[in-house]
């Protein structure tokens, strides 16, 4: 991304790679790296599973 422009071709090329890495155990929302520490170890709330 340069400024406020998205590199559409690069984004489109990256999507299949990112989707192939998903296990199905990921939450619907990225709560960030500190969520597990702040929530007592849970990487995401159960309501985020979708």
């Amino acid at each position: 991304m340069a400024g406020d422009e998205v590199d559409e071709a690069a984004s489109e090329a990256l999507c299949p790679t990112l989707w192939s890495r998903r296990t199905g155990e990921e939450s619907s929302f990225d709560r960030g790296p500190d969520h597990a520490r702040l929530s007592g170890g849970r990487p995401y709330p159960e309501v985020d599973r979708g």
Side-chain angles (χ1 to χ4, degrees):
M1 189 167 165
D4 60 351
E5 295 179 30
V6 174
D7 184 337
E8 298 283 342
S11 294
E12 193 170 315
L14 184 58
C15 279
T17 301
L18 297 177
W19 277 105
S20 72
R21 293 179 184 167
R22 292 184 59 85
T23 65
E25 295 298 316
E26 295 84 359
S27 70
S28 300
F29 300 97
D30 181 355
R31 299 285 180 171
D34 287 328
H35 186 271
R37 181 179 58 83
L38 296 170
S39 68
R42 294 187 57 145
Y44 51 81
E46 198 58 35
V47 298
D48 283 0
R49 298 286 310 272

Tab-separated table of all heavy atoms in Angstrom:
chain	number	residue	atom	x	y	z
A	1	MET	N	0.846	-1.170	0.000
A	1	MET	CA	0.000	0.000	0.000
A	1	MET	C	0.891	1.232	0.000
A	1	MET	O	1.770	1.375	0.828
A	1	MET	CB	-0.904	-0.030	1.232
A	1	MET	CG	-1.963	0.992	1.244
A	1	MET	SD	-3.166	0.585	2.533
A	1	MET	CE	-4.003	2.096	2.620
A	2	ALA	N	0.664	2.086	-0.927
A	2	ALA	CA	1.406	3.330	-1.012
A	2	ALA	C	0.448	4.472	-0.712
A	2	ALA	O	-0.455	4.741	-1.487
A	2	ALA	CB	2.013	3.495	-2.397
A	3	GLY	N	0.645	5.125	0.414
A	3	GLY	CA	-0.293	6.176	0.798
A	3	GLY	C	-1.641	5.561	1.117
A	3	GLY	O	-1.758	4.741	1.997
A	4	ASP	N	-2.663	5.936	0.355
A	4	ASP	CA	-3.986	5.369	0.590
A	4	ASP	C	-4.433	4.482	-0.564
A	4	ASP	O	-5.608	4.194	-0.724
A	4	ASP	CB	-5.007	6.475	0.836
A	4	ASP	CG	-5.126	7.434	-0.344
A	4	ASP	OD1	-4.309	7.352	-1.266
A	4	ASP	OD2	-6.046	8.261	-0.326
A	5	GLU	N	-3.474	4.010	-1.373
A	5	GLU	CA	-3.791	3.150	-2.504
A	5	GLU	C	-3.420	1.708	-2.208
A	5	GLU	O	-2.352	1.428	-1.686
A	5	GLU	CB	-3.043	3.634	-3.754
A	5	GLU	CG	-3.483	5.007	-4.207
A	5	GLU	CD	-2.729	5.476	-5.433
A	5	GLU	OE1	-2.314	4.615	-6.240
A	5	GLU	OE2	-2.546	6.693	-5.561
A	6	VAL	N	-4.309	0.801	-2.532
A	6	VAL	CA	-4.072	-0.625	-2.337
A	6	VAL	C	-3.529	-1.215	-3.632
A	6	VAL	O	-4.028	-0.920	-4.709
A	6	VAL	CB	-5.390	-1.335	-1.947
A	6	VAL	CG1	-5.203	-2.833	-1.889
A	6	VAL	CG2	-5.904	-0.798	-0.623
A	7	ASP	N	-2.526	-2.062	-3.513
A	7	ASP	CA	-1.992	-2.769	-4.672
A	7	ASP	C	-2.915	-3.957	-4.929
A	7	ASP	O	-2.775	-5.024	-4.330
A	7	ASP	CB	-0.560	-3.221	-4.391
A	7	ASP	CG	0.098	-3.882	-5.581
A	7	ASP	OD1	-0.616	-4.398	-6.470
A	7	ASP	OD2	1.341	-3.881	-5.613
A	8	GLU	N	-3.889	-3.754	-5.799
A	8	GLU	CA	-4.919	-4.768	-6.065
A	8	GLU	C	-4.316	-6.087	-6.541
A	8	GLU	O	-4.730	-7.152	-6.105
A	8	GLU	CB	-5.928	-4.250	-7.086
A	8	GLU	CG	-6.693	-3.034	-6.636
A	8	GLU	CD	-7.796	-3.340	-5.649
A	8	GLU	OE1	-8.222	-4.507	-5.548
A	8	GLU	OE2	-8.237	-2.389	-4.974
A	9	ALA	N	-3.355	-6.020	-7.458
A	9	ALA	CA	-2.753	-7.238	-8.005
A	9	ALA	C	-2.020	-8.026	-6.916
A	9	ALA	O	-2.145	-9.252	-6.839
A	9	ALA	CB	-1.806	-6.900	-9.144
A	10	ALA	N	-1.282	-7.341	-6.070
A	10	ALA	CA	-0.554	-8.016	-4.996
A	10	ALA	C	-1.528	-8.618	-3.983
A	10	ALA	O	-1.325	-9.740	-3.502
A	10	ALA	CB	0.389	-7.045	-4.305
A	11	SER	N	-2.592	-7.901	-3.667
A	11	SER	CA	-3.603	-8.410	-2.728
A	11	SER	C	-4.274	-9.652	-3.285
A	11	SER	O	-4.447	-10.651	-2.579
A	11	SER	CB	-4.664	-7.341	-2.442
A	11	SER	OG	-4.085	-6.261	-1.763
A	12	GLU	N	-4.646	-9.597	-4.547
A	12	GLU	CA	-5.301	-10.740	-5.188
A	12	GLU	C	-4.373	-11.947	-5.254
A	12	GLU	O	-4.799	-13.086	-5.067
A	12	GLU	CB	-5.761	-10.353	-6.589
A	12	GLU	CG	-6.705	-11.362	-7.196
A	12	GLU	CD	-7.335	-10.866	-8.465
A	12	GLU	OE1	-7.778	-9.706	-8.510
A	12	GLU	OE2	-7.383	-11.660	-9.424
A	13	ALA	N	-3.095	-11.719	-5.486
A	13	ALA	CA	-2.127	-12.808	-5.554
A	13	ALA	C	-1.881	-13.435	-4.178
A	13	ALA	O	-1.607	-14.630	-4.080
A	13	ALA	CB	-0.812	-12.306	-6.137
A	14	LEU	N	-1.987	-12.647	-3.126
A	14	LEU	CA	-1.717	-13.134	-1.775
A	14	LEU	C	-2.883	-13.908	-1.171
A	14	LEU	O	-2.679	-14.820	-0.364
A	14	LEU	CB	-1.365	-11.947	-0.870
A	14	LEU	CG	-0.969	-12.246	0.560
A	14	LEU	CD1	0.240	-13.170	0.616
A	14	LEU	CD2	-0.689	-10.947	1.305
A	15	CYS	N	-4.097	-13.606	-1.558
A	15	CYS	CA	-5.277	-14.234	-0.952
A	15	CYS	C	-5.252	-15.766	-0.960
A	15	CYS	O	-5.504	-16.375	0.077
A	15	CYS	CB	-6.552	-13.717	-1.601
A	15	CYS	SG	-7.054	-12.119	-0.951
A	16	PRO	N	-4.973	-16.428	-2.072
A	16	PRO	CA	-4.972	-17.903	-2.045
A	16	PRO	C	-3.968	-18.475	-1.043
A	16	PRO	O	-4.242	-19.488	-0.394
A	16	PRO	CB	-4.599	-18.295	-3.475
A	16	PRO	CG	-4.965	-17.113	-4.303
A	16	PRO	CD	-4.746	-15.916	-3.425
A	17	THR	N	-2.828	-17.824	-0.903
A	17	THR	CA	-1.828	-18.285	0.061
A	17	THR	C	-2.356	-18.165	1.479
A	17	THR	O	-2.236	-19.094	2.281
A	17	THR	CB	-0.531	-17.467	-0.080
A	17	THR	OG1	-0.034	-17.620	-1.405
A	17	THR	CG2	0.521	-17.914	0.915
A	18	LEU	N	-2.955	-17.032	1.792
A	18	LEU	CA	-3.490	-16.832	3.138
A	18	LEU	C	-4.628	-17.802	3.431
A	18	LEU	O	-4.700	-18.383	4.519
A	18	LEU	CB	-3.952	-15.383	3.317
A	18	LEU	CG	-2.844	-14.330	3.214
A	18	LEU	CD1	-3.447	-12.934	3.323
A	18	LEU	CD2	-1.791	-14.548	4.278
A	19	TRP	N	-5.522	-17.994	2.464
A	19	TRP	CA	-6.636	-18.930	2.671
A	19	TRP	C	-6.127	-20.355	2.852
A	19	TRP	O	-6.682	-21.117	3.658
A	19	TRP	CB	-7.617	-18.864	1.506
A	19	TRP	CG	-8.585	-17.743	1.645
A	19	TRP	CD1	-8.575	-16.570	0.947
A	19	TRP	CD2	-9.675	-17.644	2.552
A	19	TRP	NE1	-9.604	-15.762	1.369
A	19	TRP	CE2	-10.298	-16.402	2.358
A	19	TRP	CE3	-10.188	-18.486	3.524
A	19	TRP	CZ2	-11.399	-15.979	3.081
A	19	TRP	CZ3	-11.294	-18.063	4.252
A	19	TRP	CH2	-11.886	-16.832	4.022
A	20	SER	N	-5.089	-20.743	2.159
A	20	SER	CA	-4.578	-22.114	2.271
A	20	SER	C	-3.957	-22.386	3.639
A	20	SER	O	-3.862	-23.534	4.055
A	20	SER	CB	-3.563	-22.402	1.167
A	20	SER	OG	-2.350	-21.706	1.394
A	21	ARG	N	-3.569	-21.349	4.344
A	21	ARG	CA	-2.962	-21.507	5.676
A	21	ARG	C	-3.998	-21.617	6.785
A	21	ARG	O	-3.668	-21.967	7.911
A	21	ARG	CB	-2.045	-20.332	5.974
A	21	ARG	CG	-0.829	-20.294	5.093
A	21	ARG	CD	0.019	-19.104	5.421
A	21	ARG	NE	1.148	-18.996	4.515
A	21	ARG	CZ	1.905	-17.936	4.411
A	21	ARG	NH1	1.669	-16.880	5.173
A	21	ARG	NH2	2.899	-17.911	3.567
A	22	ARG	N	-5.250	-21.302	6.484
A	22	ARG	CA	-6.298	-21.349	7.509
A	22	ARG	C	-6.600	-22.788	7.897
A	22	ARG	O	-6.627	-23.675	7.066
A	22	ARG	CB	-7.560	-20.661	7.022
A	22	ARG	CG	-7.372	-19.160	6.863
A	22	ARG	CD	-8.654	-18.466	6.476
A	22	ARG	NE	-9.720	-18.659	7.435
A	22	ARG	CZ	-9.926	-17.929	8.537
A	22	ARG	NH1	-9.123	-16.942	8.806
A	22	ARG	NH2	-10.923	-18.178	9.348
A	23	THR	N	-6.830	-23.004	9.182
A	23	THR	CA	-7.128	-24.344	9.686
A	23	THR	C	-8.610	-24.527	9.994
A	23	THR	O	-9.055	-25.644	10.221
A	23	THR	CB	-6.345	-24.607	10.987
A	23	THR	OG1	-6.820	-23.711	11.987
A	23	THR	CG2	-4.858	-24.426	10.786
A	24	GLY	N	-9.351	-23.427	10.064
A	24	GLY	CA	-10.746	-23.497	10.468
A	24	GLY	C	-10.922	-23.223	11.954
A	24	GLY	O	-12.031	-23.127	12.453
A	25	GLU	N	-9.817	-23.108	12.667
A	25	GLU	CA	-9.857	-22.838	14.107
A	25	GLU	C	-9.680	-21.355	14.413
A	25	GLU	O	-9.724	-20.960	15.572
A	25	GLU	CB	-8.758	-23.636	14.822
A	25	GLU	CG	-8.965	-25.126	14.744
A	25	GLU	CD	-10.257	-25.570	15.432
A	25	GLU	OE1	-10.541	-25.077	16.539
A	25	GLU	OE2	-10.973	-26.392	14.847
A	26	GLU	N	-9.468	-20.541	13.386
A	26	GLU	CA	-9.254	-19.113	13.593
A	26	GLU	C	-10.558	-18.436	13.990
A	26	GLU	O	-11.636	-18.893	13.649
A	26	GLU	CB	-8.727	-18.454	12.314
A	26	GLU	CG	-7.377	-18.925	11.889
A	26	GLU	CD	-7.416	-20.202	11.066
A	26	GLU	OE1	-8.504	-20.753	10.838
A	26	GLU	OE2	-6.343	-20.648	10.653
A	27	SER	N	-10.434	-17.332	14.719
A	27	SER	CA	-11.616	-16.560	15.060
A	27	SER	C	-11.977	-15.649	13.896
A	27	SER	O	-11.200	-15.462	12.962
A	27	SER	CB	-11.368	-15.724	16.318
A	27	SER	OG	-10.457	-14.690	16.060
A	28	SER	N	-13.154	-15.080	13.964
A	28	SER	CA	-13.617	-14.190	12.899
A	28	SER	C	-12.943	-12.831	12.958
A	28	SER	O	-12.909	-12.116	11.970
A	28	SER	CB	-15.125	-13.980	13.020
A	28	SER	OG	-15.787	-15.205	12.907
A	29	PHE	N	-12.417	-12.458	14.127
A	29	PHE	CA	-11.815	-11.150	14.325
A	29	PHE	C	-10.414	-11.304	14.888
A	29	PHE	O	-10.184	-12.166	15.721
A	29	PHE	CB	-12.636	-10.304	15.311
A	29	PHE	CG	-14.036	-10.082	14.851
A	29	PHE	CD1	-15.065	-10.873	15.313
A	29	PHE	CD2	-14.325	-9.076	13.946
A	29	PHE	CE1	-16.364	-10.673	14.891
A	29	PHE	CE2	-15.618	-8.867	13.513
A	29	PHE	CZ	-16.647	-9.679	13.988
A	30	ASP	N	-9.503	-10.465	14.444
A	30	ASP	CA	-8.154	-10.450	14.992
A	30	ASP	C	-8.162	-9.523	16.191
A	30	ASP	O	-8.316	-8.309	16.051
A	30	ASP	CB	-7.168	-9.960	13.942
A	30	ASP	CG	-5.738	-9.953	14.444
A	30	ASP	OD1	-5.506	-10.243	15.641
A	30	ASP	OD2	-4.850	-9.650	13.644
A	31	ARG	N	-8.032	-10.077	17.374
A	31	ARG	CA	-8.057	-9.284	18.607
A	31	ARG	C	-6.681	-8.730	18.953
A	31	ARG	O	-6.530	-8.023	19.931
A	31	ARG	CB	-8.569	-10.131	19.775
A	31	ARG	CG	-9.958	-10.655	19.592
A	31	ARG	CD	-10.943	-9.564	19.788
A	31	ARG	NE	-12.302	-10.075	19.615
A	31	ARG	CZ	-13.371	-9.387	19.887
A	31	ARG	NH1	-13.263	-8.182	20.353
A	31	ARG	NH2	-14.555	-9.896	19.681
A	32	GLY	N	-5.673	-9.075	18.196
A	32	GLY	CA	-4.336	-8.557	18.445
A	32	GLY	C	-3.523	-9.466	19.340
A	32	GLY	O	-4.040	-10.380	19.975
A	33	PRO	N	-2.226	-9.214	19.412
A	33	PRO	CA	-1.318	-10.109	20.123
A	33	PRO	C	-1.490	-10.115	21.638
A	33	PRO	O	-1.105	-11.082	22.283
A	33	PRO	CB	0.068	-9.584	19.738
A	33	PRO	CG	-0.156	-8.162	19.354
A	33	PRO	CD	-1.534	-8.111	18.761
A	34	ASP	N	-2.077	-9.088	22.218
A	34	ASP	CA	-2.201	-9.052	23.680
A	34	ASP	C	-3.513	-9.617	24.202
A	34	ASP	O	-3.700	-9.736	25.410
A	34	ASP	CB	-2.035	-7.615	24.195
A	34	ASP	CG	-0.594	-7.149	24.116
A	34	ASP	OD1	0.307	-8.001	24.267
A	34	ASP	OD2	-0.370	-5.952	23.912
A	35	HIS	N	-4.427	-9.991	23.336
A	35	HIS	CA	-5.725	-10.466	23.811
A	35	HIS	C	-5.582	-11.692	24.712
A	35	HIS	O	-6.219	-11.770	25.766
A	35	HIS	CB	-6.678	-10.770	22.658
A	35	HIS	CG	-8.044	-11.108	23.138
A	35	HIS	ND1	-8.431	-12.382	23.457
A	35	HIS	CD2	-9.102	-10.310	23.409
A	35	HIS	CE1	-9.669	-12.365	23.875
A	35	HIS	NE2	-10.106	-11.118	23.857
A	36	ALA	N	-4.764	-12.644	24.322
A	36	ALA	CA	-4.602	-13.856	25.137
A	36	ALA	C	-4.072	-13.516	26.529
A	36	ALA	O	-4.547	-14.054	27.533
A	36	ALA	CB	-3.674	-14.843	24.439
A	37	ARG	N	-3.118	-12.621	26.590
A	37	ARG	CA	-2.562	-12.242	27.889
A	37	ARG	C	-3.620	-11.528	28.739
A	37	ARG	O	-3.784	-11.816	29.925
A	37	ARG	CB	-1.351	-11.326	27.691
A	37	ARG	CG	-0.693	-10.888	28.998
A	37	ARG	CD	0.509	-9.997	28.733
A	37	ARG	NE	0.206	-8.806	27.966
A	37	ARG	CZ	-0.276	-7.674	28.493
A	37	ARG	NH1	-0.516	-7.592	29.781
A	37	ARG	NH2	-0.517	-6.632	27.720
A	38	LEU	N	-4.356	-10.625	28.141
A	38	LEU	CA	-5.351	-9.851	28.879
A	38	LEU	C	-6.573	-10.677	29.273
A	38	LEU	O	-7.243	-10.374	30.253
A	38	LEU	CB	-5.793	-8.644	28.056
A	38	LEU	CG	-4.703	-7.617	27.773
A	38	LEU	CD1	-5.187	-6.596	26.762
A	38	LEU	CD2	-4.266	-6.936	29.053
A	39	SER	N	-6.871	-11.727	28.519
A	39	SER	CA	-8.064	-12.523	28.802
A	39	SER	C	-7.757	-13.774	29.613
A	39	SER	O	-8.611	-14.627	29.774
A	39	SER	CB	-8.733	-12.932	27.492
A	39	SER	OG	-7.911	-13.852	26.799
A	40	GLY	N	-6.551	-13.893	30.100
A	40	GLY	CA	-6.199	-15.058	30.907
A	40	GLY	C	-5.813	-16.272	30.081
A	40	GLY	O	-5.906	-17.395	30.557
A	41	GLY	N	-5.413	-16.086	28.838
A	41	GLY	CA	-4.909	-17.186	28.028
A	41	GLY	C	-5.746	-17.530	26.815
A	41	GLY	O	-5.275	-18.218	25.925
A	42	ARG	N	-6.981	-17.078	26.775
A	42	ARG	CA	-7.825	-17.393	25.621
A	42	ARG	C	-7.425	-16.515	24.436
A	42	ARG	O	-7.376	-15.306	24.567
A	42	ARG	CB	-9.285	-17.153	25.962
A	42	ARG	CG	-9.798	-18.112	27.016
A	42	ARG	CD	-11.258	-17.936	27.175
A	42	ARG	NE	-11.853	-18.153	25.849
A	42	ARG	CZ	-13.020	-18.712	25.645
A	42	ARG	NH1	-13.741	-19.084	26.656
A	42	ARG	NH2	-13.485	-18.870	24.443
A	43	PRO	N	-7.174	-17.113	23.266
A	43	PRO	CA	-6.760	-16.318	22.114
A	43	PRO	C	-7.897	-15.488	21.518
A	43	PRO	O	-7.656	-14.525	20.825
A	43	PRO	CB	-6.266	-17.352	21.114
A	43	PRO	CG	-6.943	-18.614	21.515
A	43	PRO	CD	-7.146	-18.535	22.992
A	44	TYR	N	-9.148	-15.880	21.800
A	44	TYR	CA	-10.318	-15.145	21.314
A	44	TYR	C	-11.544	-15.565	22.103
A	44	TYR	O	-11.584	-16.670	22.635
A	44	TYR	CB	-10.551	-15.405	19.818
A	44	TYR	CG	-10.583	-16.877	19.472
A	44	TYR	CD1	-11.733	-17.639	19.674
A	44	TYR	CD2	-9.467	-17.510	18.979
A	44	TYR	CE1	-11.752	-18.980	19.397
A	44	TYR	CE2	-9.479	-18.857	18.695
A	44	TYR	CZ	-10.633	-19.586	18.893
A	44	TYR	OH	-10.651	-20.926	18.624
A	45	PRO	N	-12.544	-14.716	22.195
A	45	PRO	CA	-13.789	-15.100	22.853
A	45	PRO	C	-14.550	-16.103	21.981
A	45	PRO	O	-14.451	-16.071	20.754
A	45	PRO	CB	-14.582	-13.804	22.985
A	45	PRO	CG	-13.805	-12.748	22.353
A	45	PRO	CD	-12.554	-13.314	21.799
A	46	GLU	N	-15.285	-16.991	22.591
A	46	GLU	CA	-16.024	-18.010	21.840
A	46	GLU	C	-17.003	-17.407	20.844
A	46	GLU	O	-17.262	-17.991	19.796
A	46	GLU	CB	-16.766	-18.932	22.811
A	46	GLU	CG	-17.183	-20.241	22.200
A	46	GLU	CD	-16.030	-21.066	21.624
A	46	GLU	OE1	-14.921	-21.058	22.187
A	46	GLU	OE2	-16.254	-21.703	20.577
A	47	VAL	N	-17.522	-16.220	21.121
A	47	VAL	CA	-18.471	-15.577	20.198
A	47	VAL	C	-17.808	-15.181	18.885
A	47	VAL	O	-18.502	-14.913	17.914
A	47	VAL	CB	-19.163	-14.337	20.821
A	47	VAL	CG1	-19.970	-14.731	22.040
A	47	VAL	CG2	-18.158	-13.266	21.168
A	48	ASP	N	-16.478	-15.130	18.833
A	48	ASP	CA	-15.764	-14.777	17.604
A	48	ASP	C	-15.655	-15.933	16.637
A	48	ASP	O	-15.274	-15.749	15.500
A	48	ASP	CB	-14.355	-14.283	17.906
A	48	ASP	CG	-14.335	-12.852	18.414
A	48	ASP	OD1	-15.405	-12.250	18.535
A	48	ASP	OD2	-13.239	-12.353	18.695
A	49	ARG	N	-15.934	-17.148	17.095
A	49	ARG	CA	-15.826	-18.297	16.203
A	49	ARG	C	-16.939	-18.223	15.189
A	49	ARG	O	-18.087	-18.080	15.515
A	49	ARG	CB	-15.938	-19.612	16.972
A	49	ARG	CG	-14.861	-19.841	18.006
A	49	ARG	CD	-13.516	-20.198	17.427
A	49	ARG	NE	-13.537	-21.254	16.452
A	49	ARG	CZ	-13.440	-22.541	16.728
A	49	ARG	NH1	-13.341	-22.962	17.958
A	49	ARG	NH2	-13.449	-23.416	15.748
A	50	GLY	N	-16.593	-18.292	13.933
A	50	GLY	CA	-17.642	-18.184	12.943
A	50	GLY	C	-17.345	-18.863	11.744
A	50	GLY	O	-17.485	-19.449	10.912
